[in-house]
Amino acid sequence: MNPFNSLGLRHDGRTLWVLDQTQLPDAEVWLDGSDPDAMIALIQRLAVRGAPLIGVAAAASLATFAHRGASASEYAAACAALRAARPTAVNLMWAMDRMKGAADPVREAQAIFEEDVRLCEGMAQHGAALIQDGEGLLTHCNTGGLATAGIGTALGVIRRAHEQGKRIHVYADETRPLLQGGRLTTWELEKMGIPATLITDSMAALLLRDGKVQRVLVGSDRVAANGDFANKVGTYGLAVQARFHGVPFHPVAPISTVDLACPTGAAIPIEERDPAEVRGYGQLRWAPLAIPAWNPSFDITPVDLLTSLVLDRGVFSAAELQSGVLAKVCG
Ligand code: MRU
């Protein structure tokens, strides 16, 4: 295989390495994800995460497996198992459906990687044009280079606006319960030198009330045909708060995140994770062991709450989405 390299994924020609995102920001540890079973475990414990990246990483793992001599039946079984590793981000299914029918799995995985880089550039170009000099920007979860093969979705847009010289200030939601914002987005923002402030999720409404935020930019794990979309739990609440305060709200996603087979958000499967993630974090626990806890990993934001969706192919208003533009743009 040809070597490739991104912030969270590396292939040296023989072995696929993934940056263990559970250890950030304290340690940069690279783990071997060449074996599909190992990759499934890495995806499920969020060592590798973010909708586009799990598709790209699963494809690279499967290609490495094929390159090392997997039989057709071993390949098919691994492809099906990877496809089912997490249920909400449709990018994983999109990538595995491409890999399933691929004549040359190595070339296909490489193409999926390179395409994701290009899709990020498209989103950055269209999204950065919305951002005005001096804006405060609020974001949720991690949607940057760690979540994609390229510069990211929402965070890629923010990065491009910063590179264009716009004076922006980012507010990063810590993103309960697994702290992708607090651990990962802050790590990326620091590396890029973008002025930023970390907040807990429950502080966002105050920031919006006080006029500190002029725009909310988030990623997505699946966009339904009508523009409803799934993203990290907490996104729906942000959309409601943004609407109340009259602040523009934009999901940012590549076409690999659009699922025309879901007519509305009601058809998007939502991953429920271990309740222990709500009772504590790592070795720390703050709740009684037996207290019931609810842990949906994603929520659905209805299209009515969007100002516009930033796709790699352009920016589409809520009204355009509701009149079926996605079927024309992505069909
Ligand atoms: O559970 P995660 O960390 O994989 O969730 C990630 C998100 O919700 C992101 O916002 C989404 O994948 C889009 S980012 C490119």
Side-chain angles (χ1 to χ4, degrees):
M1 285 185 73
N2 291 337
F4 57 74
N5 217 333
S6 74
L7 192 58
L9 205 63
R10 279 184 198 154
H11 208 296
D12 61 18
R14 279 183 50 79
T15 305
L16 173 66
W17 299 100
V18 300
L19 180 58
D20 181 357
Q21 299 193 24
T22 66
Q23 299 197 50
L24 291 174
D26 296 330
E28 294 180 29
V29 176
W30 289 82
L31 304 173
D32 188 341
S34 312
D35 174 64
D37 286 337
M39 180 54 76
I40 290 168
L42 291 168
I43 289 173
Q44 289 178 340
R45 70 178 186 82
L46 270 54
V48 182
R49 48 146 300 282
L53 191 73
I54 61 176
V56 173
S61 178
L62 200 52
T64 310
F65 191 48
H67 192 58
R68 291 180 177 180
S71 69
S73 64
E74 286 170 333
Y75 181 89
C79 185
L82 280 163
R83 194 181 190 280
R86 287 187 82 186
T88 303
V90 76
N91 310 63
L92 179 60
M93 294 91 195
W94 173 86
M96 290 303 94
D97 292 345
R98 281 178 61 163
M99 292 299 287
K100 188 178 173 187
D104 181 343
V106 169
R107 280 178 82 146
E108 193 66 22
Q110 209 103 33
I112 289 171
F113 180 95
E114 285 159 15
E115 191 172 323
D116 192 57
V117 173
R118 285 197 301 274
L119 293 172
C120 288
E121 289 300 316
M123 289 177 271
Q125 181 202 330
H126 294 295
L130 297 170
I131 296 174
Q132 307 299 309
D133 188 39
E135 285 190 349
L137 305 171
L138 176 60
T139 192
H140 191 61
C141 196
N142 171 266
T143 63
L146 288 171
T148 63
I151 65 169
T153 61
L155 202 59
V157 167
I158 290 170
R159 171 179 171 164
R160 183 55 39 83
H162 171 72
E163 288 167 350
Q164 289 170 346
K166 292 173 184 163
R167 287 161 298 174
I168 53 173
H169 191 96
V170 180
Y171 294 94
D173 264 4
E174 74 178 343
T175 317
R176 283 276 294 138
L178 292 178
L179 308 173
Q180 290 93 328
R183 295 182 301 104
L184 309 177
T185 301
T186 51
W187 183 78
E188 288 200 43
L189 286 164
E190 252 191 11
K191 264 183 184 290
M192 296 186 287
I194 300 178
T197 303
L198 174 65
I199 60 165
T200 69
D201 300 0
S202 47
M203 296 167 188
L206 280 179
L207 274 182
L208 287 156
R209 184 202 66 182
D210 291 350
K212 298 268 172 49
V213 173
Q214 281 65 50
R215 201 172 296 281
V216 182
L217 294 152
V218 298
S220 173
D221 288 77
R222 196 183 297 220
V223 182
N226 73 336
D228 294 349
F229 73 100
N231 191 45
K232 179 55 56 194
V233 68
T235 302
Y236 171 46
L238 278 185
V240 171
Q241 293 167 17
R243 171 58 55 89
F244 183 80
H245 293 96
V247 172
F249 176 90
H250 315 272
V252 183
I255 45 156
S256 50
T257 302
V258 175
D259 185 1
L260 295 175
C262 288
T264 71
I268 300 177
I270 298 295
E271 175 182 11
E272 283 220 21
R273 296 183 60 84
D274 187 346
E277 292 177 350
V278 179
R279 296 190 199 102
Y281 184 80
Q283 301 307 309
L284 179 66
R285 183 170 52 81
W286 47 74
L289 260 180
I291 194 78
W294 182 43
N295 192 13
S297 197
F298 301 95
D299 57 25
I300 305 290
T301 300
V303 62
D304 332 43
L305 293 176
L306 274 62
T307 305
S308 59
L309 167 69
V310 178
L311 271 186
D312 50 281
R313 299 182 173 184
V315 179
F316 302 95
S317 70
E320 288 176 299
L321 295 166
Q322 282 163 313
S323 67
V325 75
L326 286 179
K328 290 182 203 127
V329 173
C330 309

